[in-house]
Amino acid sequence: RKEVEQDPGPFNVPEGATVAFNCTYSNSASQSFFWYRQDCRKEPKLLMSVYSSGNEDGRFTAQLNRASQYISLLIRDSKLSDSATYLCVVNSYSGNTPLVFGKGTRLSVIA
Amino acid sequence: IAGITQAPTSQILAAGRRMTLRCTQDMRHNAMYWYRQDLGLGLRLIHYSNTAGTTGKGEVPDGYSVSRANTDDFPLTLASAVPSQTSVYFCASSDSAGPDTQYFGPGTRLTVL
C-alpha cells in the first residue's frame, strides 16, 4: 500500500457545486496533515493544515479520521478559480523525507 | 527577494552536460529540499538539508548532488545530465526539519536532449 493515496480525478463540477476529496494514508503514527493546492505549471502552495478536530477556512473544510486513516477536503460553492490539483500531504516516519506528498486530485470547475 | 527564488526558469540541456539549478530563500528557514515532479509520479524528494552545512539523500538522489554552504542557498547539480532527468524541479524550505509546512519556489523546467 502506498504511503499516501488519492483519487487522481479529474473531478469536473459546475460552478456552485460542493465537491469532496478523500486521501488515505498508511502510517498510523502520522501526526501532521496538510492540503496543498497546485495550479497548472505552478508550484504547490499550502491550502490548509488539517487538525484532529477538523477545521474550516471559508468555503473549505478539512477533516481527519484517524480510525480509518483518511483525511478529506470539502469545497462548497465551487468557483472557477478553484480549478487546480489538490495534494494531500502527510508526515512520514520512513526514509529521509519529513513529508510525503500524494499525487494529487485534479479539479475542474466548469461555468 | 521575498520567499524562494529559483533559476533558471527553464533550460534545455544536451545530454552529458553539467548543470546547476539555483535556489535562494530569504526566510531564514533551517531546512531546504529539492523535489522533482513528473507526470503520474507526483513530487519526489531528491536531496534535503536540515541545516546549513548538512545534506542528506532523499528518495531519488542518483545523478544529483547538493551543497549547503549557508542558510539561504541550496544549489542542485547534475554532473552529467541524462534524458531521464527531464522534469520540473522544485526547491522548498521549511522553518524546521520536522513535519513543518514547506514553501516552494516557482520551479525550473529542465529538458535534457
Side-chain angles (χ1 to χ4, degrees):
Chain A
R1 180 181 175 186
K2 294 181 181 175
E3 200 154 356
V4 177
E5 293 199 66
Q6 295 182 250
D7 182 340
F11 284 63
N12 299 313
V13 303
E15 269 187 297
T18 295
V19 61
F21 309 134
N22 282 340
C23 163
T24 59
Y25 60 95
S26 61
N27 191 332
S28 59
S30 295
Q31 295 292 326
S32 299
F33 310 89
F34 309 90
W35 283 102
Y36 275 68
R37 171 193 169 127
Q38 186 172 22
D39 293 296
C40 188
R41 301 176 75 87
K42 298 286 188 181
E43 72 273 24
K45 292 183 179 178
L46 177 69
L47 177 66
M48 57 198 306
S49 302
V50 185
Y51 303 122
S52 296
S53 56
N55 47 302
E56 188 174 311
D57 183 2
R59 298 181 293 107
F60 298 84
T61 301
Q63 294 203 317
L64 168 64
N65 185 317
R66 286 191 185 277
S68 300
Q69 292 181 213
Y70 78 82
I71 66 174
S72 64
L73 177 67
L74 181 78
I75 305 174
R76 290 181 299 278
D77 188 23
S78 298
K79 311 290 184 191
L80 294 175
S81 57
D82 293 334
S83 298
T85 297
Y86 291 84
L87 307 177
C88 171
V89 185
V90 177
N91 77 294
S92 169
Y93 290 94
S94 62
N96 293 314
T97 176
L99 295 180
V100 177
F101 288 78
K103 294 179 183 178
T105 297
R106 189 170 153 206
L107 171 66
S108 291
V109 180
I110 304 162
Chain B
I1 298 178
I4 302 182
T5 58
Q6 292 184 236
T9 302
S10 65
Q11 182 75 45
I12 298 174
L13 191 66
R17 297 296 296 267
R18 181 184 178 90
M19 175 75 191
T20 295
L21 309 184
R22 299 184 297 279
C23 173
T24 299
Q25 53 106 356
D26 66 354
M27 297 178 282
R28 307 305 293 173
H29 282 173
N30 288 306
M32 297 187 75
Y33 313 87
W34 273 106
Y35 294 89
R36 59 177 291 173
Q37 187 174 38
D38 303 287
L39 196 62
L41 295 177
L43 283 162
R44 293 182 292 167
L45 184 68
I46 304 171
H47 283 287
Y48 66 96
S49 168
N50 289 335
T51 188
T54 69
T55 63
K57 294 181 180 181
E59 182 185 353
V60 288
D62 294 343
Y64 306 95
S65 64
V66 291
S67 60
R68 185 90 183 276
N70 57 60
T71 297
D72 298 344
D73 301 299
F74 191 42
L76 176 74
T77 297
L78 289 68
S80 179
V82 295
S84 62
Q85 291 178 312
T86 293
S87 187
V88 180
Y89 292 86
F90 288 105
C91 180
S93 72
S94 62
D95 191 28
S96 71
D100 200 355
T101 302
Q102 293 184 12
Y103 299 88
F104 285 79
T108 293
R109 193 169 294 271
L110 181 68
T111 302
V112 182
L113 301 176

